[in-house]
Amino acid sequence: MFFFNKNKNFPHVKKGKGHPLILLHGLMGGLSNFKALLDFFPQKGYKVIIPSLPIYNMPLFLTNISNLSKYIIQFLIQIGIKKATLVGNSLGGHIALIIAKKRIDLVHSLVLTGSSGLFEKSFGYAFPKRENYEFIRKKSQEIFYDPKIATKKLVDEVFHIVNDKKKGIKILYIAKSAMKYNMSKDLSIIQQPICLIWGKQDHVTPPEIAEEFHRLLPDSELHWIDKCGHAPMMEHPKKFIEILDKWLSKFNFHHENFFCKI
């Protein structure tokens, strides 16, 4: 069963039963980025939940990565989720790390792909060129190894967002807050198991960033996907799922003690 749930101002998609996988999209991403995971993992005995980040709905002075993290914490508490696996891409990975640091009771493990938190290259939201469609198209294509993944629909969405004055300002606020919230000194205290799945040709959070995460996180594995950019779950969904499924299988989540009864 698949449905869109607007549970007390926490819009989210939920599918399946079992150990919860919480999928957290990036700054310019959305729920559709995880379509392949949503189709696959419920059939393997997992509950897949994709919350929509309220990037454009918070008051401007509250628009930052800390408050996005608090929002997800409140969401998990409200729906009764504990010891979940958080899967985060880009900004979503950064949020997952903050939650793992602050609320160990809510997080069993993490999966990070193209995560911010140490370093990422700016998309250029503050540039006057945001009104130039060709510039936005080029920047969108740079997210992926294969520029064809940046479809006209995707480019149109990004172009609309960065040229909407209110949305553009909020994007800028969150991007700046994420850059300021460097986690290099925090990673050593995050003890949960972590799977790093990285594109070898990621130009936003380059491979050396993945190596640094791997070095600083006490319990991490690093997996590479070749010919892949910043969003592996979109560009190579089958390879991403294969890596993730194998890694998750180590934890024996399908034992009755791991089933979530909500």
Side-chain angles (χ1 to χ4, degrees):
M1 185 178 180
F2 172 91
F3 59 94
F4 191 74
N5 189 335
K6 290 191 175 181
N7 186 6
K8 291 189 178 179
N9 298 319
F10 288 107
H12 63 282
V13 167
K14 179 170 68 175
K15 188 178 180 183
K17 293 182 179 181
H19 175 74
L21 304 180
I22 312 298
L23 313 185
L24 301 172
H25 63 78
L27 184 57
M28 301 297 290
L31 280 61
S32 62
N33 294 21
F34 292 108
K35 183 181 184 304
L37 280 68
L38 185 65
D39 291 340
F40 178 85
F41 281 103
Q43 300 178 40
K44 296 283 289 188
Y46 295 93
K47 183 198 297 284
V48 178
I49 301 172
I50 316 177
S52 180
L53 295 175
I55 290 169
Y56 311 119
N57 299 328
M58 296 185 294
L60 188 60
F61 71 98
L62 295 176
T63 302
N64 56 57
I65 192 170
S66 294
N67 282 319
L68 286 176
S69 304
K70 289 176 184 176
Y71 173 90
I72 296 299
I73 289 171
Q74 291 169 358
F75 167 67
L76 295 176
I77 292 170
Q78 174 157 317
I79 65 173
I81 295 292
K82 291 184 178 179
K83 295 298 180 182
T85 296
L86 307 185
V87 182
N89 173 237
S90 197
L91 179 80
H94 200 162
I95 290 170
L97 284 165
I98 294 170
I99 296 171
K101 172 192 168 187
K102 292 187 174 182
R103 293 297 302 262
I104 190 171
D105 57 314
L106 299 178
V107 181
H108 170 274
S109 48
L110 299 177
V111 181
L112 306 178
T113 182
S115 178
S116 57
L118 291 178
F119 168 82
E120 63 176 329
K121 293 182 180 177
S122 172
F123 189 80
Y125 305 111
F127 296 171
K129 284 186 180 181
R130 69 181 183 275
E131 296 176 1
N132 183 324
Y133 185 87
E134 187 60 25
F135 173 78
I136 297 300
R137 185 181 68 83
K138 183 181 177 183
K139 284 292 182 181
S140 298
Q141 289 176 339
E142 289 176 0
I143 299 294
F144 307 100
Y145 174 81
D146 180 0
K148 293 178 183 177
I149 304 292
T151 62
K152 185 179 185 303
K153 181 182 178 182
L154 186 150
V155 176
D156 286 348
E157 289 175 358
V158 174
F159 184 77
H160 173 74
I161 290 169
V162 298
N163 282 285
D164 180 306
K165 188 174 181 180
K166 290 183 179 179
K167 288 183 177 180
I169 290 174
K170 289 188 174 184
I171 287 285
L172 184 60
Y173 269 53
I174 291 173
K176 286 186 174 179
S177 73
M179 289 179 182
K180 289 180 181 178
Y181 201 134
N182 186 283
M183 299 197 69
S184 56
K185 295 180 180 178
D186 299 318
L187 298 183
S188 64
I189 66 172
I190 298 176
Q191 299 293 323
Q192 295 96 327
I194 297 179
C195 181
L196 301 162
I197 306 177
W198 231 263
K200 280 189 176 181
Q201 290 77 26
D202 186 341
H203 297 302
V204 181
T205 47
E208 56 265 30
I209 300 304
E211 296 280 7
E212 187 71 355
F213 270 121
H214 185 40
R215 184 180 72 83
L216 293 172
L217 289 163
D219 185 3
S220 65
E221 290 184 13
L222 176 55
H223 301 267
W224 297 104
I225 298 180
D226 196 13
K227 298 181 179 178
C228 182
H230 187 55
M233 72 291 178
M234 293 175 67
E235 194 158 11
H236 290 286
K238 289 183 179 179
K239 291 180 182 178
F240 187 93
I241 286 170
E242 182 182 347
I243 293 168
L244 179 53
D245 187 34
K246 186 176 180 180
W247 185 76
L248 289 170
S249 69
K250 298 190 306 179
F251 301 110
N252 194 25
F253 285 130
H254 304 307
H255 185 278
E256 61 180 1
N257 290 339
F258 278 103
F259 272 96
C260 202
K261 298 180 180 179
I262 65 170

